[in-house]
Amino acid sequence: MKDTAKHQGLRNQLASVLEQKGITDKRVLDAIKKVPRHLFLNSSFEDYAYQDKAFPIGAGQTISQPYTVAYQSQLLQVEKDHKVLEIGTGSGYQTAVLFAMGAKVYSIERQSELFKSTSILLPKLGIRPKHLTFGDGYKGLPNFAPFDSIIVTAGAPMIPKPLMAQLNRGGRLVIPVGGENETQIMNLLVRIDETRFEKHELGEFRFVPLLEDKN
């Protein structure tokens, strides 16, 4: 598991590309520079790891495009020690970026194959989420709620009510909304108080679908 000066140079270049595309949060850009994305990919993709592209990671899932990871992370407005719930651990790359930003990350993955491999990989890289679990992302993690922010890394047909309920006041939920074969719209929900949320729709993205009760 090598991480060389060449890899670091490629990460710096990637961060510059993301900055040109509109990523301004220094915490996000520093995390992109820090996290060795090539170690989260199949070794056959290593030469392409620092291109701004998504790649397959097995179990019909993908590692998201770095711009998407950075964009969602920026929307969360993460501060040190924020409690962040991630729905869809996947390869663990987004988890690692949030961890590098100083967040306390709680993450759920519903694909057992990915859950097992990521659970082994993250500690090897010195990345320690507060809680990594195998389960249904629609339900969130009520036992650990409330969260300062929630990030969903798969397209959902609608915004799951349990996730809204698990947000702190002032908390932010970032989720792509749309059906399986359509482009999803990135949604940002900010919790105003017990019953009110402010909603923003922020452009089109493509994600794998968020599936319910499919364990």
Side-chain angles (χ1 to χ4, degrees):
M1 297 186 59
K2 280 175 146 162
D3 186 28
T4 64
K6 181 188 169 196
H7 290 125
Q8 183 61 64
L10 291 169
R11 283 202 287 284
N12 292 344
Q13 283 175 16
L14 175 60
S16 297
V17 168
L18 299 181
E19 202 169 0
Q20 285 160 18
K21 287 187 171 183
I23 302 301
T24 54
D25 187 323
K26 189 175 181 304
R27 276 181 194 270
V28 175
L29 294 168
D30 286 349
I32 295 290
K33 289 176 190 173
K34 194 184 286 184
V35 178
R37 187 173 187 249
H38 63 284
L39 300 180
F40 292 84
L41 288 168
N42 181 304
S43 57
S44 59
F45 292 124
E46 186 181 329
D47 292 346
Y48 309 101
Y50 296 106
Q51 292 182 8
D52 191 19
K53 290 181 179 165
F55 291 100
I57 53 169
Q61 305 298 297
T62 57
I63 181 171
S64 290
Q65 180 185 352
Y67 174 74
T68 305
V69 170
Y71 183 75
Q72 284 195 288
S73 301
Q74 178 165 281
L75 288 175
L76 293 180
Q77 296 185 357
V78 175
E79 289 177 26
K80 190 167 168 23
D81 293 336
H82 263 188
K83 274 175 74 179
V84 180
L85 173 60
E86 176 190 32
I87 308 299
T89 317
S91 68
Y93 178 65
Q94 174 74 73
T95 319
V97 167
L98 293 168
F99 180 81
M101 290 172 71
K104 293 177 173 170
V105 189
Y106 297 73
S107 191
I108 306 178
E109 175 54 54
R110 56 159 214 92
Q111 301 274 4
S112 63
E113 173 193 332
L114 283 179
F115 173 71
K116 285 173 190 156
S117 58
T118 302
S119 300
I120 293 164
L121 175 66
L122 290 173
K124 280 186 185 167
L125 301 178
I127 295 154
R128 293 183 174 79
K130 292 294 283 184
H131 188 76
L132 204 55
T133 190
F134 173 64
D136 182 354
Y138 265 81
K139 299 187 174 85
L141 286 176
N143 295 352
F144 295 96
F147 297 96
D148 296 304
S149 51
I150 299 175
I151 178 171
V152 181
T153 62
M158 60 356 176
I159 300 171
K161 291 278 194 294
L163 298 186
M164 293 169 68
Q166 289 169 40
L167 263 190
N168 252 333
R169 188 173 292 203
R172 302 165 79 83
L173 167 61
V174 175
I175 178 170
V177 178
E180 189 169 341
N181 297 313
E182 56 191 50
T183 306
Q184 292 101 15
I185 303 295
M186 191 69 75
N187 278 244
L188 166 65
L189 259 68
V190 183
R191 183 163 208 164
I192 308 297
D193 55 31
E194 281 307 298
T195 56
R196 289 183 306 150
F197 291 82
E198 189 180 276
K199 184 179 174 190
H200 306 266
E201 293 190 352
L202 301 163
E204 298 184 350
F205 288 80
R206 278 211 89 95
F207 284 82
V208 292
L210 179 67
L211 302 177
E212 188 174 12
D213 293 329
K214 292 281 174 71
N215 293 333

